[in-house]
Amino acid sequence: MIRDLCLSLRSFTLTSVLLACLSIGFECTSQAQASRPAPAAKARTANPVRAENHTIPALLVSDIHFDPFHDPARVRELVAAPVAKWQSILSAPPSSDQTQAFDSLQQSCHARGVDTPFALLHSSLQAMKARQPDAKFMAVSGDLMAHAFTCRYSTLFPGSEPADYQAFVLKTLSFVVGELRATFPGMPIYAGLGNNDSGCGDYQLDAGSDFLAQSGRIIAEGLPQSQRQEAIKEFGDGGYYSITMAVPMHDTRLIVVNDLFFSPRYSTCAGKPDAAQANQQLSWLEQQLAQARQSGQRVWVMGHIPPGIDLYSTMSRFRDVCGGQSPIMFLLSDKMADLMVEYADVVRLGVFGHTHMDEVRLLEPEGADPQSAEAHLAAIKVVPSISPVDGNNPSFTVARVNPSSAMLENFEVIAASNQTGIATNWVKEYDYAQTFHQTQFSPMTVKKMIDGFTIDHSANTLASEAYLRHYFVGDRAALLSPFWPQYVCALDNYTAKGYAACVCSTTK
């Protein structure tokens, strides 16, 4: 059975998942969505008019998951050396026992795959430079560090102090961000944290910590001096910040959230739950959105974990959604998505990562009148990963942005020919406008695309087949096709209630 089914249901064979669907009342046949109503697409009254026809190039990158442990024998050198020396250490020929030592480390940490070694990081950056040397900015939506980072470090350095571990994490973050900036000197790089980017453990973080203060200085180093200190202060509070994007973007506010605090898996470094930071950050987010509206600014919201349904967890845990069980959610509440919907008149785009897949989402009010709902739609682009940990080919996204309207006009996904970064060719996976015949990545065009998927019960139209093919970068359409009806329901239903209503309308 295909190993990479892990991306839709990582640990299940296709047969077992189909049986799981049937066991919980899902209709997994080509007619599964026959009864799902197809909402009529209408013109969005709040859609901004394009002030200019020209666009600027930008880069969207996510889930780099750089692994400094790929050659375990080199790690002690990295620990001892300043970050400025890391590139020369990492680019040296591999140690004689690299393969065996890395395999042993993988087994010790029960790693599910291989993340991004230096060769792949370097190859991806060179490909970005070759593909888009004139990019005006880069947005990096979190997870710069490898999976199982804590285990890898503690295996190689048993008995080490927490401060030593944090120091190595900060050096790793500094190295990755430094490599991005060295590749594109002078270009704004807007980066956020993911659940792996922590000084104490995956999904663990302390608000107001020394780690956030220091990582904030790393992230903010390349920001305009006039806004840098405020960004550092905000980042030190909770790993989030807001900034007016540099020219040629026109009066556009980028709000970077740290939605680790919104995850149901979040805990402090001591392993305790703490809802206070989530509440504080949501208040801050609402304040930022209100200020943007009052100032007439356009807004991009960038985070790591997207809002909505975690379909993989929902299906793999056999959640009987139609029997009253709730689907598994990416976030603990819908409040961030609710705010993006409430302020959809200023929110031009949401940029997230985390799933490692190439995806879209639409935040749409639940049960609202269709005409009024049109003014409250927010489109989300989920950016695929550089890391090939799930068996996907590494990729990044080249965007075309209208600097006056802040609309994402088009994008291309650029994919690697292999997963190593060695003798790798980077080629165009697809062009959004050409593939889906859309003039813009706007809420209404995303709605139109998803409505087409809804009508397409058997997932066999050209648009659906293209989405299935490109969802997993590397062309494994079979991974998602058995769950197409449930997946489509997750695209435009971000609440548990809305998703359940959609899914259960498909059952016989």
Side-chain angles (χ1 to χ4, degrees):
M1 198 59 234
I2 305 173
R3 170 221 176 270
D4 302 301
L5 191 54
C6 62
L7 297 163
S8 293
L9 290 171
R10 292 189 180 93
S11 59
F12 288 77
T13 64
L14 183 59
T15 302
S16 66
V17 173
L18 288 172
L19 289 173
C21 292
L22 294 173
S23 71
I24 59 177
F26 287 158
E27 179 62 52
C28 295
T29 69
S30 63
Q31 300 300 318
Q33 279 191 300
S35 61
R36 184 188 185 201
K42 300 180 181 180
R44 185 189 183 204
T45 56
N47 196 35
V49 177
R50 298 185 201 179
E52 303 176 32
N53 291 324
H54 81 276
T55 60
I56 60 171
L59 291 162
L60 306 181
V61 180
S62 194
D63 294 271
I64 295 173
H65 290 292
F66 172 64
D67 186 1
F69 304 99
H70 194 74
D71 189 344
R74 303 281 186 203
V75 179
R76 291 193 179 277
E77 294 180 67
L78 297 176
V79 168
V83 174
K85 299 289 186 181
W86 274 34
Q87 188 180 87
S88 99
I89 295 170
L90 292 164
S91 58
S95 304
S96 58
D97 65 341
Q98 184 272 330
T99 300
Q100 296 87 343
F102 181 67
D103 287 346
S104 175
L105 189 59
Q106 290 282 87
Q107 292 174 13
S108 296
C109 293
H110 307 287
R112 71 172 190 259
V114 177
D115 270 315
T116 302
F118 176 72
L120 177 55
L121 176 65
H122 179 74
S123 178
S124 67
L125 292 175
Q126 292 306 302
M128 292 177 206
K129 187 69 172 179
R131 281 277 172 175
Q132 201 49 261
D134 299 322
K136 302 305 180 186
F137 67 87
M138 179 189 294
V140 186
S141 46
D143 267 3
L144 283 74
M145 302 197 325
H147 295 88
F149 206 93
T150 308
C151 176
R152 295 172 192 275
Y153 185 87
S154 62
T155 299
L156 295 178
F157 299 96
S160 59
E161 295 295 324
D164 296 331
Y165 173 74
Q166 178 175 296
F168 190 67
V169 169
L170 289 167
K171 289 175 75 171
T172 304
L173 287 174
S174 181
F175 174 73
V176 175
V177 174
E179 289 294 288
L180 298 176
R181 291 195 177 118
T183 306
F184 294 93
M187 183 189 76
I189 295 176
Y190 308 113
L193 298 181
N195 53 279
N196 284 276
D197 303 325
S198 168
C200 58
D202 191 17
Y203 286 98
Q204 292 184 293
L205 191 62
D206 286 341
S209 60
D210 177 67
F211 171 78
L212 284 178
Q214 294 196 55
S215 58
R217 286 190 282 272
I218 293 169
I219 297 294
E221 184 180 341
L223 300 179
Q225 182 65 44
S226 60
Q227 302 182 76
R228 191 179 303 170
Q229 291 307 311
E230 181 62 24
I232 290 173
K233 178 182 179 300
E234 291 176 333
F235 205 101
D237 289 340
Y240 50 80
Y241 64 99
S242 174
I243 189 169
T244 299
M245 298 176 76
V247 293
M249 292 297 289
H250 177 69
D251 209 11
T252 301
R253 182 178 301 211
L254 174 67
I255 302 174
V256 180
V257 297
N258 184 6
D259 52 8
L260 164 62
F261 290 110
F262 306 154
S263 169
R265 297 179 62 183
Y266 165 71
S267 72
T268 65
C269 291
K272 298 178 180 179
D274 182 3
Q277 177 52 220
N279 294 331
Q280 178 180 325
Q281 186 176 176
L282 287 167
S283 296
W284 171 86
L285 174 59
E286 184 170 17
Q287 181 184 46
Q288 292 296 318
L289 290 167
Q291 289 176 356
R293 177 185 281 169
Q294 185 176 11
S295 303
Q297 288 184 306
R298 302 145 188 86
V299 171
W300 280 26
V301 176
M302 184 171 77
H304 180 64
I305 307 172
I309 313 301
D310 181 347
L311 185 64
Y312 156 65
S313 296
T314 298
M315 298 292 286
S316 64
R317 297 179 191 177
F318 304 100
R319 302 294 290 183
D320 185 1
V321 174
C322 297
Q325 291 185 317
S326 297
I328 306 299
M329 311 298 290
F330 278 121
L331 304 178
L332 198 57
S333 81
D334 302 323
K335 292 181 180 178
M336 181 177 71
D338 289 342
L339 285 172
M340 292 178 67
V341 167
E342 181 180 349
Y343 287 90
D345 57 312
V346 296
V347 174
R348 295 293 181 263
L349 183 67
V351 181
F352 294 84
H354 188 62
T355 71
H356 291 209
M357 302 297 103
D358 184 66
E359 303 184 78
V360 304
R361 291 284 190 277
L362 182 70
L363 304 181
E364 186 172 12
E366 183 181 307
D369 176 77
Q371 289 189 343
S372 64
E374 290 168 4
H376 294 281
L377 301 176
I380 286 177
K381 181 71 191 77
V382 180
V383 182
S385 66
I386 295 292
S387 170
V389 70
D390 289 323
N392 57 295
N393 285 358
S395 66
F396 59 88
T397 301
V398 175
R400 302 296 309 188
V401 181
N402 186 314
S404 295
S405 66
M407 295 300 298
L408 177 59
E409 299 288 346
N410 192 22
F411 63 84
E412 295 179 348
V413 174
I414 309 300
S417 60
N418 61 44
Q419 299 173 6
T420 65
I422 299 171
T424 303
N425 295 317
W426 294 79
V427 298
K428 182 170 71 175
E429 171 87 359
Y430 77 100
D431 177 293
Y432 164 76
Q434 293 177 1
T435 301
F436 296 106
H437 306 288
Q438 303 292 348
T439 58
Q440 191 181 64
F441 191 86
S442 68
M444 281 310 299
T445 58
V446 172
K447 178 176 174 58
K448 179 181 177 182
M449 182 167 64
I450 295 173
D451 286 350
F453 297 159
T454 301
I455 297 169
D456 174 27
H457 309 307
S458 59
N460 61 4
T461 66
L462 291 177
S464 297
E465 289 175 353
Y467 190 96
L468 286 161
R469 182 167 62 253
H470 300 307
Y471 160 83
F472 179 100
V473 178
D475 194 7
R476 307 276 179 86
L479 295 177
L480 187 58
S481 54
F483 323 108
W484 184 244
Q486 290 76 40
Y487 181 78
V488 172
C489 282
L491 292 182
D492 59 354
N493 290 280
Y494 70 87
T495 68
K497 180 181 176 182
Y499 174 76
C502 176
V503 167
C504 298
S505 72
T506 71
T507 60
K508 293 184 179 180

